Amino acid sequence: MTISVKVLRILVRVLGVLQLVLGILFWTGNQYQMIPIHMMLGLLLVALLWTMAILAGLSRLPAPFVGVALLWGAVVVWLGLNQASLLPGDLHWLIQVLHLAVGVALIGQVEMLAGRILRSMGRVARQPQAATV
């Protein structure tokens, strides 16, 4: 499971940077034709978050960590798919900032879960074995 957690973490980091670059391009009025790619990568990030949440559950992390991650993924999907229609006009930038914050928090969720999973696995691996007689 350690390899899976590490691979997921790396994928999320790479995709997160790519998403930030695309978001900056959109925010500056460029490359709007790449919005479908941004959306697809966003859905992939959510799938990776949910996968990490499942691994967290299998690692017996507390249920609230798993539940929040699953719920957070749903919030990211909903906001990403609906942001164009939310608060149109001069205040739409608030939705854009919220979209950025929610996406960055997704990356943070993955990092937090990965760290907790790896630490919990390290503690299990370091427990002394009982002597057999």
Side-chain angles (χ1 to χ4, degrees):
M1 187 181 308
T2 302
I3 293 172
S4 299
V5 170
K6 290 180 179 180
V7 168
L8 284 172
R9 190 183 229 178
I10 290 168
L11 286 172
V12 167
R13 289 174 179 177
V14 170
L15 290 174
V17 169
L18 189 56
Q19 287 291 76
L20 288 170
V21 169
L22 287 171
I24 290 168
L25 287 172
F26 304 148
W27 209 332
T28 59
N30 298 296
Q31 302 300 319
Y32 288 125
Q33 71 274 13
M34 296 187 76
I35 288 176
I37 293 170
H38 182 72
M39 292 173 70
M40 180 193 66
L41 294 177
L43 292 172
L44 180 56
L45 276 169
V46 169
L48 294 173
L49 170 64
W50 286 340
T51 303
M52 189 69 80
I54 291 167
L55 292 177
L58 293 172
S59 297
R60 301 187 196 263
L61 262 59
F65 291 122
V66 176
V68 167
L70 295 173
L71 182 61
W72 198 258
V75 169
V76 170
V77 170
W78 181 85
L79 182 61
L81 293 176
N82 292 293
Q83 78 163 353
S85 64
L86 299 173
L87 210 56
D90 292 341
L91 294 178
H92 185 67
W93 67 271
L94 292 170
I95 300 301
Q96 292 172 320
V97 170
L98 178 64
H99 181 77
L100 172 63
V102 166
V104 170
L106 179 147
I107 296 167
Q109 284 273 328
V110 170
E111 289 291 333
M112 182 271 300
L113 289 173
R116 286 182 175 272
I117 292 168
L118 293 173
R119 282 191 300 276
S120 74
M121 293 174 72
R123 278 194 293 269
V124 170
R126 284 186 241 138
Q127 288 178 350
Q129 297 294 323
T132 56
V133 179

